[in-house]
Amino acid sequence: MKYRFCGNSGLQLPMISLGMWHNFGDCDKYSTMKDTVWTAFDMGVTHFDLANNYGPLPGSAETNFGRMLADGLHTHRDEIIVSSKAGHLMWDGPYGDGGSRKYMMASINQSLKRTRLEYFDIFYSHRYCPETPLEETVQALIDIVKQGKALYVGLSKYPADVAAEACCLMKEQHVRCLIYQDRYNMLSRKPEESHISFLEKERLGFIAFSPLAQGLLTNRYLHGIPEDSRVAKSGVFLHREDITPELVSKLKELDKIAHARNQSLAQMSLSWLLAKDSVTSVIAGASSSSQLIDSLKAIDNIEFSATELHEIDKIIGIV
């Protein structure tokens, strides 16, 4: 594994982190998820990314991770980074969603209990809540650090101008925002338009989630929609109508570039992100240890020629 310093801090993150959004809930096999986490750690993946509502059921990913800590991972607590988040709907009623101090404080206390941890290494505001005064959400994050419930705090999916204001509010009380997290992949370029310059100015780390666009940037949909695919089984974040002939044609062209690089489309998609100086780490999901090991090979080839980058952008329609 190779590591990168996270923004203007002494904390290093692995170039590929393990995301626990999917495959670590109550509906998944515990022995498989444990093998994946153990393999990840053995391969140098020291960062495990959670959130209060990851599952399903919401909270179950944190509970399962806590079980893994109890099963032996706790002996390596000082060798790993554990992050969690609060901001999306977690429980019923007016206090289980958003950015209020009530929700943020209750959520981190619940998450610590589920994971059996004394503190998180990184705790995020999972989304900007326009109904809550920014000062209220930021003050909760500041107090979470000062109370020792998290070593660092971060922001996820915030508008760039709001994130910049939040960083200023934190610095006024001598707590720096460590890291920003958002969706970023070859098909989704929003951070390039609005956030990269802000991140460089504030000297924040940046970690990308959904690097494979919910599986689109793999070989899964090159020849139709498999019955065991995420689209066929859930269709929540990715729908059948999203898999258009035009998109499949683009994916096939990208796959040709990947093969010319001796990579799979998934590996090239991860490498494409890691080739960027602005990216500290990429959050990769995995349904098995073998899938994770395959993803980690992306680290070995993150050099792209100007021609390759131009062709990728041309295929996607950026140029």
Side-chain angles (χ1 to χ4, degrees), residues 268-316:
M268 184 180 77
S269 300
L270 295 173
S271 297
W272 180 86
L273 283 166
L274 292 170
K276 299 181 178 297
D277 292 336
S278 57
V279 175
T280 308
S281 182
V282 172
I283 299 174
S287 59
S288 65
S289 58
S290 59
Q291 187 181 64
L292 175 66
I293 291 171
D294 191 63
S295 294
L296 294 179
K297 294 175 183 177
I299 296 172
D300 300 328
N301 186 10
I302 63 171
E303 300 292 332
F304 285 79
S305 69
T307 300
E308 287 175 324
L309 293 174
H310 179 77
E311 284 300 311
I312 289 171
D313 286 349
K314 184 178 178 181
I315 290 168
I316 294 170

Side-chain angles (χ1 to χ4, degrees), residues 222-223 247-257 265:
L222 296 180
H223 306 288
L247 175 61
V248 173
S249 177
K250 291 180 179 181
L251 296 177
K252 289 181 177 180
E253 290 301 310
L254 292 172
D255 190 51
K256 290 178 183 177
I257 296 177
L265 178 54

Side-chain angles (χ1 to χ4, degrees), residues 84-95:
S84 194
K85 319 175 193 72
H88 289 291
L89 180 63
M90 180 59 191
W91 63 86
D92 293 336
Y95 316 119

